[in-house]
Amino acid sequence: MPPGPHPRLHAHSHKHTPNTRHTSVTSPMTHMLLPSLCSRGIMGNLLKPLACNELEHGSIIFLDFEHAQPTEAETAVWNQVSAVLEEAHGILAELQSYNGAGQEIREAIQNPNDLQLQEKAWNAVCPLVAKLKRFYEFSLRLENALRSLLEALTSPPYAPMQHLEREQALAKQFAEILHFTLSFDELKMTNPAIQNDFSYYRRTISRNRLNNQQLEAENEVNNEMANRMSLFYAEATPMLKTLSNATTKFVSENKTLPIEDTTDCLSTMACVCRVMLETPEYRCRFTNTDTMLFCMRVMVGVIILYDHVHPVGAFAKTSKIDMKGCIKVLKEQPSNSVEGLLNALRYTTRHLNDDSTSKQIRALLQ
């Protein structure tokens, strides 16, 4: 995740005037740009209005990154989510350095009667499974954090746009959760050792159970926990699946909350990211190369959540997300940096293959 504090972002809304026919949005993902931009005296240009057709009612949002801090009303939720996000950095670092026990497992399988090799493989796998358990348990905390943010960003009496204006510190945290989620899933998808290690662990536990032996590691990951972890890691994008399920559950459990309150929040964030990415005068001011990837991951994350929650999804003509624009922005980047994100759109969305999806959008994702 891009470094930096979790600033409070001030926003001011202005109604349409006859000469104001579009929406200005600056992105919560660019907080690290502000010192250099302000020192060059171009903050005013940063706030230049940009077209963003998805945003309704002609609201114009100006984000003040310099004085961004959580308000008193946001503090409780912000602190809760902040504690989770602080742990997220360590989770990603652990996953990135996850090498697996492939060699030890191969030697043990090839020499089933060599007890020394069996023990060596088991001793190599156990600490890795404990690590996988921490990742899984973190997904549950991430789910709770997302739920708290959704409650805060969609609760009456404010409309979604008003929430994004009033609670920018929480909106930024929402973006960081999505950034972490896609970062985690990209690392997981490119590391087959994770499932190989866990499969070997489960086979060994089962074999010993048949022999009426209980291994000490079972106290750490019992059969019930192993089953839940197995379902989690069987997903191509486990963290994204967790968030999608949590968002869908949030909508279904809040019967009195219009579904648009949640989907409008998601489509607005997708728009903000797209505008930042497709506008050269904004993009060329990114001083941190991670900012581009941050924006792309958040954009893809909210698209997938929107597609899971909205009845007709993100790809229909009536969608408030400009899917052609979003895909075009991704495809303009080096393929090695966006292939995982394009695959997430191809394989983890619900409505891409619906009849309502245009052939042009399908072709863009081929």
Side-chain angles (χ1 to χ4, degrees):
M1 279 180 244
H6 303 277
R8 166 81 173 123
L9 306 167
H10 289 227
H12 307 285
S13 177
H14 300 276
K15 294 181 180 178
H16 260 328
T17 66
N19 296 323
T20 306
R21 302 190 57 81
H22 48 267
T23 303
S24 169
V25 180
T26 57
S27 168
M29 300 65 174
T30 56
H31 64 282
M32 68 289 291
L33 307 180
L34 267 287
S36 59
L37 293 179
C38 293
S39 65
R40 299 206 299 266
I42 56 178
M43 187 65 185
N45 292 333
L46 238 189
L47 301 178
K48 181 180 175 183
L50 292 171
C52 196
N53 295 330
E54 293 89 339
L55 302 184
E56 294 183 336
H57 312 307
S59 297
I60 297 177
I61 305 176
F62 293 107
L63 305 176
D64 181 2
F65 295 99
E66 290 179 295
H67 307 103
Q69 290 295 328
T71 61
E72 188 176 346
E74 291 172 278
T75 300
V77 173
W78 191 88
N79 285 340
Q80 176 203 339
V81 177
S82 189
V84 176
L85 285 171
E86 283 174 16
E87 191 178 349
H89 293 276
I91 294 286
L92 282 183
E94 281 193 80
L95 181 56
Q96 198 151 21
S97 63
Y98 189 103
N99 293 320
Q103 184 176 341
E104 292 90 341
I105 291 172
R106 278 192 299 275
E107 290 176 352
I109 291 172
Q110 289 166 3
N111 301 278
N113 297 321
D114 189 326
L115 295 180
Q116 192 173 356
L117 288 177
Q118 306 306 311
E119 187 175 351
K120 183 181 178 184
W122 181 250
N123 290 336
V125 163
C126 283
L128 294 172
V129 169
K131 192 176 287 191
L132 294 179
K133 181 190 177 189
R134 286 202 304 277
F135 297 166
Y136 167 71
E137 289 174 335
F138 180 75
S139 77
L140 304 180
R141 290 196 288 281
L142 199 71
E143 182 179 350
N144 289 332
L146 179 75
R147 183 181 184 87
S148 296
L149 288 173
L150 287 173
E151 286 173 353
L153 292 171
T154 60
S155 60
Y158 302 111
M161 178 60 69
Q162 291 173 306
H163 275 297
L164 290 178
E165 290 176 340
R166 293 169 60 88
E167 290 133 20
Q168 289 295 327
L170 300 186
K172 173 68 167 55
Q173 288 184 320
F174 187 86
E176 289 186 332
I177 283 178
L178 289 166
H179 178 262
F180 162 82
T181 296
L182 271 79
S183 301
F184 181 97
D185 286 346
E186 283 175 20
L187 289 171
K188 184 266 178 185
M189 280 193 290
T190 56
N191 194 339
I194 289 172
Q195 281 180 283
N196 292 340
D197 292 347
F198 194 63
S199 295
Y200 178 80
Y201 174 85
R202 296 204 76 188
R203 288 197 306 272
T204 305
I205 289 285
S206 298
R207 188 168 62 245
N208 281 279
R209 195 177 289 118
L210 287 173
N211 296 330
N212 293 318
Q213 294 176 321
Q214 181 168 8
L215 298 168
E216 189 177 329
E218 280 194 83
N219 297 326
E220 177 77 20
V221 179
N222 60 28
N223 197 46
E224 183 189 352
M225 173 61 77
N227 287 337
R228 283 185 277 147
M229 287 172 62
S230 183
L231 289 172
F232 177 76
Y233 286 110
E235 295 288 342
T237 53
M239 287 289 178
L240 198 54
K241 180 70 171 177
T242 298
L243 294 197
S244 295
N245 288 346
T247 307
T248 303
K249 187 178 177 184
F250 172 79
V251 170
S252 65
E253 287 180 351
N254 289 272
K255 306 291 186 187
T256 59
L257 184 71
I259 190 171
E260 292 80 10
D261 284 14
T262 302
T263 55
D264 284 359
C265 176
L266 299 174
S267 61
T268 299
M269 293 191 76
C271 172
V272 168
C273 294
R274 176 179 59 76
V275 169
M276 293 301 299
L277 290 164
E278 72 184 6
T279 309
E281 65 182 282
Y282 280 57
R283 200 171 58 239
C284 72
R285 293 175 184 164
F286 289 169
T287 58
N288 186 332
T289 54
D290 290 341
T291 307
M292 286 284 287
L293 190 55
F294 182 82
C295 290
M296 288 189 284
R297 282 195 177 122
V298 173
M299 181 179 75
V300 169
V302 289
I303 287 170
I304 294 168
L305 290 185
Y306 182 100
D307 193 61
H308 277 255
V309 174
H310 197 283
V312 297
F315 299 95
K317 287 181 180 177
T318 54
S319 167
K320 291 183 180 178
I321 296 177
D322 176 7
M323 285 305 305
K324 287 178 188 174
C326 291
I327 296 168
K328 184 169 175 285
V329 162
L330 291 173
K331 299 200 91 169
E332 286 172 352
Q333 311 308 317
S335 60
N336 63 328
S337 65
V338 297
E339 192 58 31
L341 297 177
L342 289 168
N343 282 337
L345 290 176
R346 291 173 185 129
Y347 305 123
T348 65
T349 48
R350 292 178 60 185
H351 295 280
L352 174 60
N353 295 314
D354 288 2
D355 293 338
S356 58
T357 302
S358 72
K359 291 179 181 177
Q360 189 178 5
I361 288 178
R362 282 204 194 98
L364 280 172
L365 279 175
Q366 283 178 354

